[in-house]
Each structure stands twice: as structure tokens, then as C-alpha cells.
Amino acid sequence: MEAVLTEAVALLDEAGDSALTFRALAARLGGGVGSIYWYVASKDELLDRATDHVVGQLLSDVQERTNGDDPVDDLRVLALMMFDAIVARPWLGAYFMRNSLLQPNTLRLYDLLGQQVLRLELTPRQSFHAVSAVVGFTVGTAADLGQEPPQEILDGRVGREEYLARFADMWRALDPDEYPYVHQIADEFAHHDDADQFRAGLDLLLAGLRQQAGR
Amino acid sequence: MEAVLTEAVALLDEAGDSALTFRALAARLGGGVGSIYWYVASKDELLDRATDHVVGQLLSDVQERTNGDDPVDDLRVLALMMFDAIVARPWLGAYFMRNSLLQPNTLRLYDLLGQQVLRLELTPRQSFHAVSAVVGFTVGTAADLGQEPPQEILDGRVGREEYLARFADMWRALDPDEYPYVHQIADEFAHHDDADQFRAGLDLLLAGLRQQAGR
DNA sequence: GTGGATTATCGAACGTTGTTCTATTCTGTG
DNA sequence: CACAGAATAGAACAACGTTCGATAATCCAC
């Protein structure tokens, strides 16, 4: 069982979403296809368990870093760690949203975020909304930014720099009257860093939360 | 071509993600499977075009509602319309993140959001981050909340109320010391409304943005 | 230690999917 | 009428998730 999950995760890490097939996994485990079905009832369940498996690792990393002075700072650290974990494993993002609250480790992670918010002493509704917002923003942004890059950048034919530069060039070539924002932002986009982008958005969200909590 | 996209969207709307197959689409169009490949090179392209097709409709709805007094209020309206569109079409969320900036209508929508942010007179970098944050939060949350509900709720065997109540019961049964937040939030969750949840999070984010812009 | 029940493994087979390929029909132009 | 390109059609292929019955390994009461 443990081996099944480990190899499944390894397969996902190495070649992404499409690499995890029952046949490939069986070959890797040195067994038959049917054997895997003794441990999991379907591919959906395999994915769910594999996801929760790595969330478990994230969880133990996270639990050491909590309980600082400021709840919002703690929240920030937790969100950043979640973000990093998803970016490091692009396949994670897509499955993070699915069934999230049914998997044990994910629920624990969710609660850990909630514990920080509880310290802000908001109303229950405000607490609920705050946690949902942080989770939604983190997972959504990470899944968006961490999506599998196109083939040409994956095998190193073109670097990230050049890839971004292409977009920037396309956008600069657009009519500034029709696309005033995209046209103006092209330079910024060409040299942007995903993690910076996430941190900036997260800080906006947390600033709003701070304001609501009166801190 | 137009008919292909229309029927593809209809198929997705009626029975979701898995219902859109080349064979089902061909049958619906009264033609052969191979014919579709004359219009689209792959299923990915079909999905991209179908997505951009409905974003086009959203775009024309959106363009009438813009240019209010307050840029942040406009931003709020735009984000809410995006959210509603994705919730109404759960399949949209998943494909919204993919290739978003390559599709013409999506790029235009992105620019429309950007135009509101430009009015706040932030630095280019701040503008870029603000738009990214709003888009990330909106799409991420909508995709998360708007995910396909499980089968039992889809065919009406159990209502939404009962479905949520089950979670609440499970959570109330947890050890309050181990899951203080989830335990406490159970009631709130049982009666929550997705749109409220989204609006509350969006308002936190926009409050942070307002603060940054000094308004 | 032996027999039966449970646990675990295996790979052939089935139905469905995206995609390719070749043959065929339609359409407009000289 | 002829012919080139646009457009359609469906058979065929490989890969996938899943099912199934046969078989091996392991355990446990007697």
C-alpha cells in the first residue's frame, strides 16, 4: 500500500499528470495491473490518496513553523508553504480542490489555518470566510501559476525568459487603445516572478483581514 | 464551425466534462467523427475554443456594466460576474486557468479588469499584482466552489442541505482539541452560501487594495 | 500438519476514448 | 465538362480504466 502511493507520487513528479497510468504503475511495482485494484477501488481514489499522502508530508513540515506572535504572520507562513508545495508539484493543484475536505491530512491543514484565524477573535462567520478566502486564493493562484508549462519549455528548447518575452512582445504589439492595460503591463510581465506575484496578492488579502480584525 | 462550438458548449452544459466526446459531438451534429478534426486539431483546441466562446458572451455582458465612479467597485462587479459565470458552468473553471492569456476574449476580459486598476494610479508592478490577485482569487475560488457535486446530489437523491449537514455532523464529532477550528465552524458551514463566501473574501482582498491605493 | 478461509496477485479481455487515415462527396472556377 | 480544393464520413489503431476468473500465498483453528 505504502509502496503503491510512493511510486504513484514518483510517477506524477517525474512526468506529470498523464504519466500515472495503471499499467505504468504496475510495471514500476513489478506486478500486474489488477493487483493495484486490491488497494484502491478506482483511479480517483488513487489520486485522492496520493494527494493526501504528500499533504501529510507538507503537514509535518508546517506544524513546526506555527505559533508565532502574530496570527496573521502565521497565516502568511502557512499559505506560503502551501503555495510552494503546489508549485513544486504542479499536478497537486488540480487535485487539491477536489474532495479536499474529505481527506484527513487536508482537513488537518485546513484546521491549522483556521486556528490562526481563531486567534483574531472575529465572528464565526468572519472566521469561516477568512479561511476560505486564504485557501481559495492560495490553491487557486498556485494551480494557475503552477500549471504545466508547454512542451517547448519543458524540454529546454526555449528558456523561461524567452517564453515570457514572447508574450510581452505580442502584448506590446497590441493596440494601446484597445488593450491599455495589457499593453502597459508587458514589461512587468516579462520579468515577473511567480512567487512575488503570489506574495503581493496574499499581502493584499491579509491587509484586508488585518483591517477587519482591527489590528 | 460555429455549430461545432455551440453544440460542444451545450454538451458540456448539459452533462459536464465527461459528456463531451468526439463521438457524442459528432452524433449531435449529425456527422462523422472525423469531420470535427477538420475544424479543430485536437480536443485541447476544442476545449480552448469552447471556453473562449462562452467568455465572449460573458465579455459582452460585462462591457455594459463598467465605468462607474469608483474603480474598486467596478472591479468588484467584474469579479462577481466572472464568478457567477463559472459557477453557472462548472466545467469552465478548470479550463479558465489553462492558456488563459492566449485566448482572445480572455485576454480582453483580463484587460478590462486591468483598466479599472489603472485608474487607481499605482505603480506598474502594483497594478500587475493587483489584477493577478483578483483574477487568481476569483477563478480559483469559483473553480473550487463550483466543482461538480457528487453523484448523489446531482440526481437529487440528497439535497444540498442534507449534504452539508453530513459534513457538519462529521466535524462536530471530531475531537475539539485536535480540530478546534473545524469543530467550531461546523454550524457556519452547514448553512453557508457559496456566493456569500466568495463576496466576503473578495471584499477582504479589495479592502487591502483600497488601503494600498490610499482610498 | 492439514484443510478451509482469507488475503493477495496476475494478466487476458471488454468497452470507451482521442486520433489517424483513406476514400468519398460536395462546391465552385476555368 | 473537368478538375482542384474544401469538406465529410467511418473504419482502424493504440492507450486507457476497469472487470473478471484463476491462481498463489498466508494464516489459523483443530
Side-chain angles (χ1 to χ4, degrees):
Chain A
M1 178 75 238
E2 189 69 16
V4 174
L5 261 41
T6 308
E7 291 306 316
V9 169
L11 228 33
L12 286 167
D13 282 344
E14 285 167 23
D17 226 359
S18 59
L20 179 59
T21 68
F22 277 81
R23 286 169 177 84
L25 182 55
R28 206 161 164 129
L29 290 164
V33 205
S35 305
I36 306 174
Y37 277 89
W38 197 90
Y39 296 98
V40 264
S42 68
K43 187 166 187 182
D44 272 341
E45 186 183 326
L46 176 61
L47 252 357
D48 284 342
R49 289 186 113 100
T51 305
D52 210 56
H53 188 68
V54 318
V55 173
Q57 303 171 2
L58 169 61
L59 193 62
S60 62
D61 291 350
V62 146
Q63 275 166 332
E64 303 168 0
R65 301 263 215 119
T66 180
N67 258 351
D69 297 345
D70 184 20
V72 179
D73 283 346
D74 274 3
L75 210 50
R76 205 180 106 99
V77 170
L78 293 184
L80 279 169
M81 291 185 73
M82 280 181 67
F83 177 81
D84 289 339
I86 299 178
V87 168
R89 299 186 140 106
W91 55 272
L92 240 185
Y95 298 106
F96 217 109
M97 309 201 231
R98 212 186 49 178
N99 296 341
S100 41
L101 301 176
L102 283 168
Q103 307 302 327
N105 286 327
T106 310
L107 186 62
R108 242 193 175 87
L109 185 58
Y110 187 64
D111 195 272
L112 227 52
L113 291 166
Q115 290 176 30
Q116 304 308 321
V117 173
L118 285 183
R119 295 166 62 195
L120 292 175
E121 297 177 354
L122 304 167
T123 70
R125 168 157 299 176
Q126 283 176 331
S127 302
F128 175 60
H129 286 161
V131 174
S132 302
V134 171
V135 171
F137 177 72
T138 303
V139 175
T141 307
D144 193 359
L145 297 182
Q147 71 188 283
E148 305 264 347
Q151 195 59 37
E152 40 189 10
I153 198 174
L154 244 173
D155 52 14
R157 283 208 302 275
V158 307
R160 177 187 147 88
E161 284 300 318
E162 187 187 344
Y163 180 67
L164 293 182
R166 276 191 210 166
F167 273 88
D169 289 343
M170 271 174 46
W171 292 356
R172 268 187 286 260
L174 292 174
D175 180 0
D177 290 331
E178 217 170 351
Y179 295 91
Y181 172 74
V182 170
H183 191 265
Q184 176 164 338
I185 225 64
D187 288 334
E188 201 58 52
F189 182 80
H191 304 103
H192 87 279
D193 175 77
D194 283 350
D196 280 345
Q197 194 176 337
F198 171 72
R199 272 191 297 265
L202 180 62
D203 284 338
L204 287 180
L205 183 60
L206 294 180
L209 182 59
R210 266 214 162 88
Q211 186 174 309
Q212 182 176 66
R215 299 199 178 213
Chain B
M1 177 74 235
E2 189 70 15
V4 173
L5 293 181
T6 308
E7 292 306 318
V9 169
L11 228 34
L12 287 167
D13 282 344
E14 284 167 26
D17 224 359
S18 59
L20 179 59
T21 67
F22 276 82
R23 284 168 180 83
L25 183 54
R28 209 165 163 124
L29 291 165
V33 207
S35 306
I36 305 174
Y37 278 89
W38 197 89
Y39 295 99
V40 249
S42 69
K43 186 165 187 183
D44 272 340
E45 186 183 327
L46 175 62
L47 252 356
D48 285 341
R49 290 186 111 100
T51 306
D52 209 56
H53 189 65
V54 318
V55 173
Q57 302 171 4
L58 170 61
L59 194 62
S60 61
D61 292 349
V62 144
Q63 275 165 333
E64 304 168 1
R65 302 264 216 119
T66 181
N67 258 352
D69 296 346
D70 184 19
V72 178
D73 283 345
D74 274 3
L75 210 50
R76 205 179 106 100
V77 171
L78 292 184
L80 279 170
M81 293 186 71
M82 280 180 67
F83 177 81
D84 288 339
I86 298 178
V87 168
R89 300 186 139 105
W91 55 271
L92 239 185
Y95 298 105
F96 216 109
M97 309 200 234
R98 213 186 48 180
N99 295 341
S100 41
L101 301 175
L102 282 168
Q103 307 302 329
N105 286 327
T106 309
L107 187 61
R108 244 195 174 84
L109 185 59
Y110 187 65
D111 194 273
L112 226 51
L113 291 166
Q115 289 175 31
Q116 304 308 321
V117 173
L118 284 183
R119 293 166 63 196
L120 292 174
E121 297 178 354
L122 304 167
T123 69
R125 167 159 297 178
Q126 284 176 328
S127 302
F128 175 61
H129 286 161
V131 174
S132 302
V134 171
V135 171
F137 176 72
T138 303
V139 175
T141 306
D144 194 356
L145 298 181
Q147 70 188 281
E148 305 265 348
Q151 195 58 40
E152 40 189 9
I153 197 173
L154 244 173
D155 52 14
R157 282 207 303 276
V158 307
R160 176 188 147 88
E161 283 300 318
E162 189 186 344
Y163 180 67
L164 293 182
R166 275 191 211 167
F167 274 88
D169 289 342
M170 272 175 44
W171 291 357
R172 267 187 288 261
L174 292 173
D175 180 1
D177 289 333
E178 218 171 349
Y179 295 90
Y181 172 73
V182 169
H183 191 266
Q184 176 163 338
I185 225 64
D187 289 333
E188 201 59 51
F189 182 79
H191 305 103
H192 86 279
D193 174 78
D194 282 351
D196 280 344
Q197 194 176 335
F198 171 71
R199 271 190 297 266
L202 180 62
D203 284 338
L204 287 180
L205 183 58
L206 293 181
L209 183 58
R210 265 214 163 87
Q211 187 174 308
Q212 183 175 68
R215 299 200 179 211

